[in-house]
Amino acid sequence: MSELGSNQGQDENKNGPVFDSSKLNKEQTTEHFTNVKDVEDRAKAAEKAKKEAEKSANEAHEKSVREAAKLQQKAEKTPNKTSGASARKRKWIFAIIIAAVILATIGIVYYVSNFGKSSEELAEKKVESFKESCSGETLESGYCLEAIEDFEDYIRNERNLDTKVVLLGEYEEYVMREFGNAGRVKDFLDDNISGDYTERNKEDLCDIYKDLYYKVHDWEEYVKDCEL
């Protein structure tokens, strides 16, 4: 992508291309229904994965409890031929086993609550958190700037490319709407276009760039074929 145009071409914008809004609306409607279907399919897959994770967690918890109970029963049936010190040792061992079961259960619950969720669900929560952090703030505000940098780090580290493209779109739309910082947005997009993106991903990324150029009235870049 070339550098964004400056404000010096504002007078030339009057000669920019005239767009067929009916065609645009038709394309947007078709894309909307396609996106809805994609989202529904991903949501069903995420729900299935979550249920399987919960089932595995419950089975693991029940198995741990059964094993602890067996050990306790075995200890109770063992003839009391040991000293009081040995008896206390058995109690400590049993207490350690119970503690391990509790910790394992907590870990499983945490996994199901977080890692068991799809990247789309986690990304949605991150976007909401980011927008709340920046609500009513300005780009010069240290708090909001910190939130933007945190959001950029989250996007940069996202491994699911479908989710990453969605996040880049959210980032471009929000930062341009609230702050109009086209330079920062373009630099961040340029830094995150490398990767094994699908053709659909590339098309979506091109749409993000086109939206950016449209907002800054850079018609020359807007009408160019996008190359990624």
Side-chain angles (χ1 to χ4, degrees):
M1 292 290 177
S2 64
E3 294 297 324
L4 291 175
S6 64
N7 294 330
Q8 64 183 11
Q10 290 182 351
D11 293 336
E12 298 176 1
N13 294 343
K14 298 178 181 178
N15 299 322
V18 179
F19 300 101
D20 186 342
S21 61
S22 62
K23 180 179 179 181
L24 181 60
N25 290 336
K26 181 178 180 181
E27 292 176 352
Q28 289 177 337
T29 300
T30 301
E31 183 178 356
H32 169 74
F33 284 109
T34 301
N35 290 339
V36 169
K37 186 177 184 303
D38 290 342
V39 171
E40 289 177 347
D41 291 342
R42 289 197 296 269
K44 290 179 181 179
E47 182 63 23
K48 181 179 179 181
K50 181 178 180 180
K51 289 182 179 179
E52 291 177 351
E54 291 176 344
K55 181 179 178 181
S56 298
N58 290 333
E59 290 176 349
H61 173 65
E62 292 174 357
K63 181 179 179 180
S64 298
V65 172
R66 287 197 300 269
E67 291 177 351
K70 288 180 180 178
L71 289 174
Q72 174 65 11
Q73 292 176 357
K74 183 177 180 180
E76 292 175 350
K77 292 179 180 179
T78 301
N80 189 15
K81 296 180 180 180
T82 58
S83 64
S86 297
R88 287 193 296 273
K89 182 177 180 181
R90 287 200 304 271
K91 290 181 180 180
W92 274 108
I93 293 175
F94 181 70
I96 292 172
I97 293 173
I98 293 298
V101 171
I102 294 174
L103 289 175
T105 302
I106 293 174
I108 293 170
V109 171
Y110 179 81
Y111 174 85
V112 171
S113 301
N114 293 278
F115 299 101
K117 292 183 178 179
S118 67
S119 62
E120 289 88 350
E121 290 177 303
L122 295 175
E124 287 177 3
K125 290 188 179 230
K126 185 63 180 179
V127 171
E128 292 174 3
S129 174
F130 162 66
K131 290 181 178 180
E132 288 177 1
S133 297
C134 276
S135 178
E137 300 290 340
T138 64
L139 187 61
E140 289 73 23
S141 168
Y143 182 70
C144 190
L145 182 58
E146 182 178 343
I148 291 176
E149 291 174 346
D150 178 67
F151 190 41
E152 289 174 342
D153 286 339
Y154 185 90
I155 297 173
R156 194 177 291 111
N157 294 322
E158 177 58 58
R159 293 294 175 262
N160 185 307
L161 295 182
D162 289 337
T163 303
K164 187 168 187 173
V165 172
V166 172
L167 288 169
L168 287 170
E170 291 279 358
Y171 172 84
E172 181 271 334
E173 181 180 354
Y174 186 86
V175 176
M176 285 302 297
R177 183 178 70 246
E178 298 296 327
F179 312 115
N181 193 334
R184 183 185 187 114
V185 172
K186 184 177 183 299
D187 287 343
F188 187 69
L189 291 176
D190 290 346
D191 290 341
N192 286 276
I193 60 174
S194 61
D196 191 19
Y197 288 109
T198 64
E199 289 304 314
R200 178 57 186 273
N201 291 152
K202 293 178 181 179
E203 291 177 4
D204 291 340
L205 283 170
C206 285
D207 288 340
I208 295 172
Y209 272 103
K210 286 175 69 69
D211 186 67
L212 175 62
Y213 294 132
Y214 182 84
K215 288 172 181 173
V216 296
H217 309 299
D218 188 345
W219 304 116
E220 181 179 352
E221 287 295 329
Y222 179 81
V223 299
K224 281 177 60 176
D225 290 333
C226 181
E227 297 180 2
L228 294 176

